[in-house]
Amino acid sequence: MDVIPIKEKIVSVVCWLIGLLFLIFGIYDFIFNDLSWLDLTNTVAVFLILVGTGLAPKMFFTPFKQIFSPAFKLQALVDPKIQQGVLFSGLILALVCIIWGRLL
């Protein structure tokens, strides 16, 4: 079992806390301040993106040159497919919100 360095644990916790704060404030604004469905969906997308990046903290400490090389394999805290699924679902949801906002 791999030991996770303290700096990666801190990055994960910070990403998750910021994501949770976004989600809490988004739900609060939706309930009490009549936030639109589009804004709530965008808040959920930001939450998913932050949680997805928090599941792969090594990404923050890897040089860009190595990240964009074809041989680079991202090490996630969970199964990489789960991490990528959470991250991509947040990105797709954010893209849908951008397109939906432009059409309205």
Side-chain angles (χ1 to χ4, degrees):
M1 183 172 178
D2 294 332
V3 177
I4 301 170
I6 191 75
K7 63 182 180 180
E8 292 178 13
K9 289 179 186 177
I10 292 171
V11 166
S12 292
V13 169
V14 167
C15 284
W16 296 336
L17 281 176
I18 292 172
L20 191 62
L21 286 174
F22 265 103
L23 189 62
I24 289 170
F25 287 127
I27 291 172
Y28 176 82
D29 282 343
F30 179 73
I31 292 172
F32 295 110
N33 295 333
D34 287 334
L35 196 68
S36 68
W37 281 100
L38 178 65
D39 293 332
L40 180 65
T41 309
N42 208 2
T43 302
V44 171
V46 170
F47 169 73
L48 289 174
I49 291 169
L50 286 170
V51 168
T53 55
L55 289 174
K58 283 194 184 281
M59 181 176 60
F60 291 100
F61 303 106
T62 306
F64 282 123
K65 194 173 200 178
Q66 187 178 358
I67 289 175
F68 293 117
S69 72
F72 178 69
K73 188 158 185 138
L74 184 64
Q75 296 176 355
L77 297 178
V78 294
D79 184 26
K81 289 184 180 181
I82 294 172
Q83 185 268 335
Q84 290 173 355
V86 171
L87 183 65
F88 288 144
S89 64
L91 290 172
I92 290 170
L93 198 57
L95 183 63
V96 166
C97 287
I98 290 171
I99 293 171
W100 186 12
R102 297 285 181 201
L103 293 178
L104 293 180

